[in-house]
Amino acid sequence: MSNNTKNYYKNIEISRKFGVNPTTVTNWIEASKKDKNQLQLVQIKDRDYILKKEHNDIIIENLVQSSKKYKHKSQRKVVKAKPEFFETFTPEEIAEIINGIEIYGEIPHKFTYVGGGAESWAEYVERSVSNKIVNTITNTQYLLDKAKNIILSEVAPSKLNIIDIGCGDIIPVKTFLEYLISKKLLKDYIAYDISQEMLDLAKKNINTWFGNGIKVSYARRDINYDHIEDLLFYSKRNQKFKNSENLILFLGSTVENQFNYMEPLRNIGSKITFDDIFVLGITLNNNRSKSYFDFTDKASFNLRSFRTWKDLFNLSDEDFEIEFMYDSQQSSRLLQITPKKDIEIIFKNEQIDTSVEVNKGTKLTIWRHSHHTLPGIINDMDSVGLDVKHVLTSPDETHAMLIAKRKKN
Ligand SMILES: C[S@@+](CC[C@H](N)C(=O)[O-])C[C@H]1O[C@@H](n2cnc3c(N)ncnc32)[C@H](O)[C@@H]1O
């Protein structure tokens, strides 16, 4: 993470800001010490850094340009994003994806569920449930079943409006919905997801399971930035059944796929009202979950994110090294891809004409799953105004479900 208060650049900051390989930055520093360029340096604890000043920025720009000019074609691959890329994502999402690559070296994983990613996730869910694999999906089913009486004890005797954030194909909440319907406790169900294709799958499942038996609506939104306030507001204040409470579900460790998991928590924490109930599904940070990667077959959802970007950007398997790892500093499992040569991706449609550089050896994160300790997440929720009332953990202690309400001031 960059530190703007320093008067010098860390090499990684230059690498990100100017789209160059970190080794190139080291080479420039060495060249400057031999008076081969005019970069001004500062020494801190025996290491040399480039000073953060306009003079150096101009020299770096020139160095970048000349290195591009002399680079042999075989060291560099230039590709063009396919028209499907522009058809699949909204202009806001396109900006977030391109900035994500350029500024943070990360394409947010949430975009992997859009387009063909929805079917791929649904296959993964189906495989997990039918083979009874103990993972996020089956632990969500287990924990929701255990949590249902606690949830109902918080709202009795009201009916529930469910706002299911990151609803996916809804399989993990099916039994819970059936239970509420059988007890005549379900008023509205709102499926909220960033992916239209996922919402279409959810709709198909709901129609098959319940027909017209439930009142359902669909919201294609991103919980990092978009409203939930209107959904909470209108579901409680429409004419029918005034006596109802909102239940906000954010399950399946979806919070942990976000670039910054605090963003959705802040959004939810700021909008939830005193009567609403919030249920969050998370992954716990223990040795079992840290090392969990599902490679059981080619449909592995983790690898799917690689295939998605590779296809949309006209790249091939041979262009990258692929690495799955647990990063203890970020408490996250990551899937990172590293180009074997410098890659330039051109993005051109009627709105933009730009390109980004992904340099040889620079890691690009395309899947993230952050992990939490219970005290840590309870503290995080408290900091956004959410008071955790109940906590349940899965038998294998890899997952937890937290039931919270708005903190009373
Ligand atoms: C890991 S799946 C979980 C699905 C479901 N809740 C479950 O437990 O099986 C994540 C789902 O959340 C959606 N999603 C991811 N990030 C999102 C965001 N920022 N806003 C809304 N939906 C999001 C994805 O499209 C996907 O359907």
Side-chain angles (χ1 to χ4, degrees):
M1 184 117 324
S2 73
N3 183 343
N4 291 327
T5 57
K6 289 197 184 86
N7 68 342
Y8 63 90
Y9 287 117
K10 286 185 178 166
N11 291 5
I12 188 71
E13 289 178 77
I14 299 200
S15 156
R16 286 188 179 148
K17 181 167 175 185
F18 295 92
V20 292
N21 201 314
T23 356
T24 310
V25 184
T26 313
N27 292 342
W28 289 343
I29 292 175
E30 288 311 309
S32 162
K33 282 159 59 184
K34 293 177 191 153
D35 284 336
K36 290 189 179 167
N37 64 43
Q38 311 301 310
L39 284 172
Q40 295 173 356
L41 308 179
V42 59
Q43 201 174 52
I44 293 165
K45 290 187 191 155
D46 293 337
R47 274 197 69 181
D48 294 295
Y49 295 94
I50 297 175
L51 277 169
K52 210 180 250 184
K53 52 199 294 194
E54 202 184 342
H55 163 90
N56 279 344
D57 283 1
I58 295 168
I59 292 181
I60 295 172
E61 282 292 358
N62 287 337
L63 288 168
V64 171
Q65 289 314 321
S66 52
S67 77
K68 270 188 196 161
K69 213 156 58 192
Y70 295 113
K71 205 162 260 178
H72 193 271
K73 270 202 177 128
S74 66
Q75 288 179 274
R76 192 174 164 73
K77 181 162 183 174
V78 181
V79 291
K80 229 173 137 181
K82 286 183 183 166
E84 292 98 285
F85 173 74
F86 297 98
E87 287 154 16
T88 305
F89 297 101
T90 65
E92 293 81 6
E93 290 169 346
I94 288 170
E96 194 178 341
I97 291 167
I98 297 175
N99 280 342
I101 300 175
E102 215 165 47
I103 303 173
Y104 303 107
E106 175 155 349
I107 307 182
H109 176 68
K110 61 185 180 182
F111 294 124
T112 313
Y113 299 91
V114 175
E119 275 292 345
S120 174
W121 172 256
E123 280 164 24
Y124 179 59
V125 174
E126 168 60 30
R127 185 159 53 89
S128 303
V129 173
S130 53
N131 296 341
K132 297 192 172 62
I133 299 169
V134 178
N135 61 14
T136 311
I137 295 152
T138 48
N139 274 336
T140 301
Q141 290 180 310
Y142 172 88
L143 288 168
L144 195 54
D145 192 48
K146 296 281 168 223
K148 72 174 187 280
N149 287 331
I150 302 173
I151 295 169
L152 291 174
S153 71
E154 291 283 346
V155 293
S158 305
K159 285 190 178 242
L160 287 173
N161 307 303
I162 297 182
I163 294 105
D164 190 357
I165 298 168
C167 62
D169 65 359
I170 312 193
I171 301 249
V173 299
K174 180 184 179 205
T175 313
F176 180 57
L177 293 179
E178 281 171 345
Y179 179 79
L180 294 178
I181 293 168
S182 73
K183 299 277 174 208
K184 299 198 174 8
L185 285 172
L186 184 65
K187 189 182 144 234
D188 293 349
Y189 176 80
I190 304 175
Y192 183 123
D193 205 285
I194 195 172
S195 159
Q196 184 56 51
E197 293 75 13
M198 202 62 96
L199 290 173
D200 293 342
L201 285 179
K203 192 175 201 168
K204 204 167 117 203
N205 281 340
I206 288 205
N207 287 341
T208 311
W209 300 333
F210 308 120
N212 296 327
I214 70 173
K215 189 166 162 277
V216 51
S217 52
Y218 300 88
R220 183 200 189 289
R221 300 189 192 185
D222 181 340
I223 190 59
N224 290 303
Y225 312 117
D226 295 330
H227 279 296
I228 53 161
E229 190 168 25
D230 57 328
L231 305 176
L232 299 173
F233 182 86
Y234 288 104
S235 52
K236 274 198 72 157
R237 294 179 199 233
N238 56 15
Q239 279 99 341
K240 261 185 153 189
F241 303 111
K242 275 225 161 81
N243 189 16
S244 69
E245 308 293 6
N246 291 324
L247 168 64
I248 304 146
L249 300 177
F250 195 17
L251 303 180
S253 297
T254 305
V255 69
E256 289 151 350
N257 289 152
Q258 310 304 314
F259 177 65
N260 176 352
Y261 71 89
M262 287 305 288
E263 274 177 8
L265 291 184
R266 231 175 262 125
N267 190 7
I268 295 165
S270 67
K271 300 300 179 213
I272 190 170
T273 70
F274 288 109
D275 295 326
D276 299 338
I277 305 156
F278 176 48
V279 180
L280 179 69
I282 59 154
T283 304
L284 292 170
N285 203 20
N286 60 26
N287 285 339
R288 201 188 301 221
S289 57
K290 278 186 207 170
S291 58
Y292 184 81
F293 290 105
D294 186 353
F295 298 116
T296 36
D297 65 25
K298 283 195 175 152
S300 162
F301 188 72
N302 302 333
L303 274 174
R304 169 78 211 188
S305 53
F306 174 55
R307 285 196 289 274
T308 303
W309 302 118
K310 193 187 68 178
D311 291 350
L312 289 174
F313 296 157
N314 263 315
L315 289 158
S316 64
D317 283 339
E318 296 69 44
D319 294 326
F320 296 94
E321 304 280 0
I322 302 176
E323 188 186 5
F324 285 93
M325 45 122 49
Y326 177 78
D327 181 324
S328 53
Q329 270 188 332
Q330 303 185 54
S331 302
S332 296
R333 275 174 294 153
L334 303 174
L335 167 54
Q336 298 188 312
I337 54 172
T338 312
K340 294 182 190 164
K341 53 169 84 170
D342 291 347
I343 290 174
E344 179 181 359
I345 311 168
I346 297 172
F347 296 91
K348 195 166 172 12
N349 71 351
E350 44 303 327
Q351 270 188 310
I352 51 166
D353 185 354
T354 187
S355 70
V356 289
E357 295 271 340
V358 190
N359 286 299
K360 180 180 168 185
T362 312
K363 290 180 191 303
L364 185 64
T365 300
I366 56 170
W367 177 80
R368 152 183 308 278
H369 195 127
S370 56
H371 294 210
H372 300 275
T373 61
L374 281 176
I377 191 75
I378 291 171
N379 200 32
D380 287 335
M381 291 171 77
D382 183 80
S383 74
V384 298
L386 293 163
D387 186 12
V388 175
K389 300 257 184 211
H390 310 270
V391 177
L392 294 93
T393 53
S394 61
D396 67 345
E397 293 176 358
T398 54
H399 293 89
M401 201 165 266
L402 296 98
I403 302 170
K405 295 196 92 169
R406 189 183 184 94
K407 224 163 57 176
K408 296 223 163 60
N409 298 325

